[in-house]
Each structure stands twice: as structure tokens, then as C-alpha cells.
């Protein structure tokens, strides 16, 4: 799969679990992506504010741009 498809796969899972957020391990399990690919894509999504990372809970949630797209 392409990086774009993988990115949307991550976004889809994180958005579906927005209330509780998803840990990196949860994302790996849900998407079956290689660890390095998932990390690279997550970093890009966080850098663009599409996803937000909560350092206290170590979870990812949808960012504001994702809300406006939805």
C-alpha cells in the first residue's frame, strides 16, 4: 500500500477511537503496519496537526484540521 493509503488507514482508526485515543501499540495492532512506517506516518500527521499526541497519556487523537474536514 502507498503511504497515503496507510496514512488514511491510521486516521480512520484514530478517528473511530477519538474519545479514548489510541496508543502507538494500538495503532500497530489495528493497522498491521510495520513499526517504522507507522512511526514515520504518525510523525508527519502530528507535524501537520492532522493528529495530536498527548504526551501524558501517550495517545493519539484527531487534530483540529481533521475536525474541519469531517
Amino acid at each position: 500500500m502507498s503511504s497515503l493509503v496507510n496514512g488514511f488507514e491510521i486516521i480512520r482508526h484514530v478517528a473511530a477511537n477519538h474519545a479514548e485515543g489510541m496508543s502507538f501499540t494500538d495503532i500497530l495492532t489495528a493497522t498491521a503496519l510495520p513499526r517504522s512506517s507507522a512511526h514515520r506516518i504518525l510523525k508527519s500527521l502530528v507535524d501537520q496537526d492532522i493528529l495530536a499526541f498527548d504526551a501524558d497519556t501517550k495517545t493519539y487523537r484527531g487534530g483540529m484540521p481533521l475536525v474541519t474536514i469531517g
Side-chain angles (χ1 to χ4, degrees):
M1 281 195 277
S2 73
S3 293
L4 181 60
V5 171
N6 290 338
F8 277 113
E9 182 73 4
I10 290 173
I11 291 168
R12 186 174 65 82
H13 285 286
V14 171
N17 293 285
H18 183 74
E20 61 274 2
M22 289 186 80
S23 69
F24 183 68
T25 303
D26 293 338
I27 292 168
L28 290 177
T29 301
T31 62
L33 290 171
R35 187 177 196 86
S36 60
S37 296
H39 185 267
R40 179 177 39 80
I41 293 167
L42 282 165
K43 182 178 179 346
S44 294
L45 291 170
V46 169
D47 287 348
Q48 295 298 313
D49 296 324
I50 302 297
L51 297 181
F53 179 71
D54 184 331
D56 293 333
T57 61
K58 298 193 183 337
T59 57
Y60 294 88
R61 289 189 170 80
M64 287 308 294
L66 190 58
V67 172
T68 60
I69 293 169

